[in-house]
Amino acid sequence: MSKSKKVLLVTGGGRGIGAATCRLAARAGYRVAVNYASNEAAATALVEAIAQAGGEALAIKGDVGSEADVLSMFETIDRAFGPLDALANNAGVVDQRARVDEMSAARLERMMRINVIGSMLCAREAVKRMSTRHGGKGGAIVNISSIAARLGGPGEYVDYAASKGAIDSFTIGLAREVAGEGIRVNAISPGIIDTEIHASGGQPDRIERMRRVVPMQRAGTAEEIAAAALWLLSDEASYTTGANLEVGGGR
Ligand code: NAP
């Protein structure tokens, strides 16, 4: 087991964009911590597939919206892999299609807790480990936002769009805060990507409906987002921080 390999945590890494990021990262030589919320079968199958391909990965259950879970997840990574080098803040949820005047406080609280506070808590723990101010050796963070932040999601999920708007501001602020401490922080704003998130929000036909409004006339793949994430985390992006890379087929 090589101790020199870089360590990456991908939140929500068991399925969709997160899983593609884990697969690509393992191929690039990272030791990958695959966080998941409840779908243990998906995360475990992914870890096994990575191991079969000669990579190294570990599945870790935890709700990013729970501070206790986040603390325990980072401690597990410290013990298993050693100091973290990179974080992909990917875990995120949508909810059923609704107007703002129909949204309950419980829905809003869940949306912000997972999408916003979850990413901020994970970034906090990553900075504590990576910042030269805390004795770390630097690192990189990529936050998965959405082009919904600028489209607003009217009639569908304004709460989700607003949660991604918060991620955009957080990316700029944190990037500037830790730029002198060896940490780069960037965001990716995907357009419509073919994953199970649309069905989880009660819209299994969303890709088919929406692809016509995309200039490229198709949804993107999880792998197309993963490729952008891996670039932003790599040394090839060494002068890129506070950026928000749109990967949305021109939309
Ligand atoms: P997905 O296929 O629904 O997968 C979501 C992943 O997040 C799953 O692994 C899930 O874990 C995990 N997750 C959910 N809640 C969590 C929590 N509280 N704590 C930890 N993990 C949690 O979604 P996706 O499409 O890949 O989306 C990934 C990211 O891309 C999200 O931030 C999403 O907002 C963003 N995005 C997606 C699109 C798109 O069109 N797909 C577009 C723009 C932005 P389990 O497997 O255990 O359920």
Side-chain angles (χ1 to χ4, degrees), residues 1 3 5-15 18-19 22-23 25-26 30-37 39-52 54-62 72-82 84:
M1 196 159 70
K3 281 281 172 199
K5 284 170 86 174
K6 284 193 171 179
V7 177
L8 166 68
L9 165 62
V10 181
T11 65
R15 294 185 293 118
C22 290
R23 277 192 295 271
Y30 284 92
R31 306 163 90 191
V32 186
V34 181
N35 159 251
Y36 67 98
N39 194 332
E40 184 174 8
T44 305
L46 176 65
V47 164
E48 278 167 17
I50 287 173
Q52 291 224 320
E56 208 180 328
L58 175 69
I60 308 175
K61 182 179 167 72
S72 124
M73 171 166 69
F74 275 83
E75 282 161 15
T76 302
I77 297 166
D78 291 342
R79 280 195 304 272
F81 285 158
L84 193 76

Side-chain angles (χ1 to χ4, degrees), residues 12-18 35-39 62-65 90-93 114 144-146 160 164 190-193 195-198 200:
R15 294 185 293 118
I17 292 167
N35 159 251
Y36 67 98
S38 58
N39 194 332
D63 174 0
V64 294
N90 165 79
V93 293
I114 297 174
I144 306 299
S145 181
S146 171
Y160 171 79
K164 296 302 189 180
I192 186 156
I193 308 301
T195 71
E196 294 165 350
I197 200 169
H198 311 288
S200 77

Side-chain angles (χ1 to χ4, degrees), residues 93-96 100 102-115 159:
V93 293
V94 295
D95 211 319
Q96 304 299 303
V100 172
E102 298 164 337
M103 290 177 188
S104 67
R107 168 183 169 132
L108 296 174
E109 190 276 335
R110 169 182 173 265
M111 184 69 65
M112 298 303 159
R113 185 175 55 78
I114 297 174
N115 290 8
D159 54 343

